[in-house]
Amino acid sequence: MKPNARAKLLDAAFGTIRERGYAATSVDELCARAGVTKGAFFHHFKSKDALAAAAADHWSQTTASLFASAPYHDHADPLARILAYIDFRKDLVRGEIAEFTCLVGTMVQEAYETAPDIRGACWRSISGHAQTLEEDIQAAIEKYHVNGVTAESLALYTQATIQGAFILAKAKNDAGVAIDMIDHLKRYVELLFTCKGREGRRP
Amino acid sequence: MKPNARAKLLDAAFGTIRERGYAATSVDELCARAGVTKGAFFHHFKSKDALAAAAADHWSQTTASLFASAPYHDHADPLARILAYIDFRKDLVRGEIAEFTCLVGTMVQEAYETAPDIRGACWRSISGHAQTLEEDIQAAIEKYHVNGVTAESLALYTQATIQGAFILAKAKNDAGVAIDMIDHLKRYVELLFTCKGREGRRP
DNA sequence: TTATAAATACCGACCGGTTGGTATGTTGTC
DNA sequence: GACAACATACCAACCGGTCGGTATTTATAA
């Protein structure tokens, strides 16, 4: 049905770009890893940048289905769902660094100035994923009477923290530091919703 | 005293790498921006990777002197110093994105797998800067009787959050979102030190 | 059902420009 | 005259991208 080479190239891009970055990834290397020829590459993508933008979009779809089927939605309390989401993100941090870090977070640092299409695709990926958290956050804000924070801003903050955790893991060459950072994020959410003289933990 | 071309190349590296990333920055472009020739480049640096590692070390020194002379140290209370540090980081977020984002945070994403020397220099830069916060954090932890958090871990968390804020700013092409993220960091620190039935706000 | 036209998927040699790096000067200073 | 600090010319490898061609699938109509 769908062309095979295209899917293999997008899959190869996930791996190679997360390992070496976008600019350092050559079209030839991508083709070799995907087991296709250069002709196939430029048949499916009009340029290397177009492949990158397509990879970012494909990343959005891949992560969307991963998180949609994840178990953290199965809590009655919205705050419990948020905390379970954070735990789930922590559980994903295992194996090689290139296997759990974020494709679009890596790419956007190289492309934000020079490639607007890639930048836009990366932002759609990050903000689109953040939006899937907004409903739960909004419900928790109302249930626990938190003020001074918007659901959109807090949702983005979870993503910022996780992206930063990945940078530290890469710099230290140690996944453990990323887990520590996500623990801080969880503590922040707990404090935010259960402290500071707010009305009730269970309304 | 110190050779001129070397300093000009390191300065050019700060700008170019933060704009386009490391791999996309060519030696020729660096030389053109610095106003020196290729011969001068390879006289001072044995390879492009060596320049990158030297730039990361120079970044450490530059930021160290910037923060050493910053006014946030002038508070009697250690928590006030930490919060003033966060405010100072927020104040630095202005102008073009490439002017306030972090060189080593950008570079390490491209180099962590393939260039151990660059990765090490980037980690020294990040963790070294975090260490300058540890003394204040440790004092605040003791003064406000906070437990469950180490000074080292919280210091690194401030850096992770700020790095993540930069990624979001690049993706959205908007510095404002970075400021929002740093506001969350400040709120976390405030909650951490003043909530949850801890003994006293002022001992 | 089958002949055929048209579109799609893919191949791999090739191209001009760019890349990081080198080899060999030249110049100024102690 | 020794040595560091540059400058100039050059190179082989690699880069993204093109192009003429072929294999395979799909659409159409007799």
Side-chain angles (χ1 to χ4, degrees), chain B residues 25-26 28 32 47 77 129 139 142 200:
Chain B
T25 296
S26 75
D28 282 329
S47 69
D77 181 67
H129 176 65
E142 289 166 10

Side-chain angles (χ1 to χ4, degrees), chain A residues 53-70:
Chain A
D57 286 340
H58 187 48
W59 181 259
S60 299
Q61 295 167 20
T62 304
T63 55
S65 68
L66 171 66
F67 287 101
S69 64

Side-chain angles (χ1 to χ4, degrees), chain A residues 1-200:
Chain A
M1 193 70 88
K2 278 289 182 67
N4 202 4
R6 184 186 161 93
K8 283 194 285 186
L9 281 166
L10 289 172
D11 196 58
F14 282 9
T16 313
I17 294 173
R18 287 196 287 174
E19 281 171 20
R20 309 197 212 298
Y22 172 61
T25 297
S26 75
V27 173
D28 281 329
E29 188 182 353
L30 236 27
C31 293
R33 197 188 278 227
V36 306
T37 62
K38 219 167 183 176
F41 184 102
F42 286 100
H43 172 72
H44 290 289
F45 307 102
K46 75 171 205 290
S47 68
K48 190 193 172 189
D49 276 14
L51 173 275
D57 286 340
H58 187 48
W59 181 259
S60 299
Q61 295 167 20
T62 304
T63 55
S65 68
L66 171 66
F67 287 101
S69 64
Y72 63 85
H73 304 283
D74 304 337
H75 290 271
D77 182 68
L79 176 56
R81 288 198 292 274
I82 300 166
L83 295 173
Y85 165 78
I86 296 173
D87 284 333
F88 182 62
R89 293 304 304 256
K90 209 166 69 175
D91 290 342
L92 293 177
V93 179
R94 45 188 156 73
E96 294 296 310
I97 287 176
E99 289 166 6
F100 63 77
T101 48
C102 178
L103 175 82
V104 296
T106 300
M107 272 203 304
V108 78
Q109 294 233 39
E110 301 180 61
Y112 78 100
E113 263 274 341
T114 50
D117 289 350
I118 300 175
R119 202 217 85 236
C122 292
W123 173 244
R124 283 198 304 277
S125 184
I126 294 172
S127 62
H129 177 63
Q131 273 171 26
T132 68
L133 305 172
E134 277 186 33
E135 200 174 326
D136 285 343
I137 293 175
Q138 185 59 44
I141 284 175
E142 287 166 11
K143 183 173 179 182
Y144 294 92
H145 305 94
V146 172
N147 40 40
V149 183
T150 68
E152 182 191 6
S153 177
L154 183 56
L156 284 175
Y157 181 70
T158 63
Q159 303 310 299
T161 293
I162 290 166
Q163 294 288 349
F166 291 160
I167 290 190
L168 260 61
K170 288 173 182 172
K172 195 180 180 186
N173 198 26
D174 167 28
V177 70
I179 292 176
D180 282 354
M181 300 300 102
I182 299 176
D183 279 334
H184 280 282
L185 171 63
K186 188 178 180 184
R187 192 176 297 111
Y188 172 49
V189 172
E190 286 170 340
L191 287 169
L192 190 59
F193 284 96
T194 62
C195 276
K196 219 175 184 176
R198 292 213 163 75
E199 276 81 344

